[in-house]
Amino acid sequence: MPEEGWYLARDTELKGFFVVVGKRKRTFTVQADLRQGGKRASSIRVAIGDAGEISTRTARATANDYLAQISRGQHPKDERRGSAAGF
């Protein structure tokens, strides 16, 4: 753990999956580009969970799922928007 600030520890196997290591906690996170109409709409960073509460294997599986959703143009934490729009 750093004495001040934070840093990223990237996974060597799954691109876009990493741990944000802060002074008090470590958070599994995923980041990828959301594309709409073939163009990059935005870069999304989504927290998966606290490294002290879920295993690396579980976090990696969740990251894989989130990355698949992002590649399909969906925000993984945006179920509300889809249902509100009548999807």
Side-chain angles (χ1 to χ4, degrees):
M1 300 278 201
E3 300 233 352
E4 291 183 30
W6 55 273
Y7 66 91
L8 303 179
R10 297 194 179 274
D11 188 73
T12 57
E13 297 173 25
L14 184 60
K15 186 177 184 237
F17 176 57
F18 54 92
V19 180
V20 178
V21 181
K23 193 173 179 179
R24 293 186 187 88
K25 70 178 193 173
R26 293 169 294 152
T27 306
F28 289 114
T29 309
V30 68
Q31 181 172 346
D33 289 340
L34 181 66
R35 298 186 173 276
Q36 292 175 335
K39 295 184 179 179
R40 181 177 159 262
S42 62
S43 185
I44 297 174
R45 184 179 282 189
V46 182
I48 295 170
D50 190 307
E53 297 174 7
I54 60 174
S55 71
T56 303
R57 179 176 286 179
T58 301
R60 189 176 282 123
T62 302
N64 233 344
D65 184 45
Y66 283 6
L67 288 167
Q69 290 178 47
I70 294 168
S71 73
R72 292 191 301 265
Q74 301 169 316
H75 193 296
K77 298 260 179 145
D78 214 6
E79 299 89 21
R80 299 161 306 230
R81 188 180 296 171
S83 58
F87 297 137

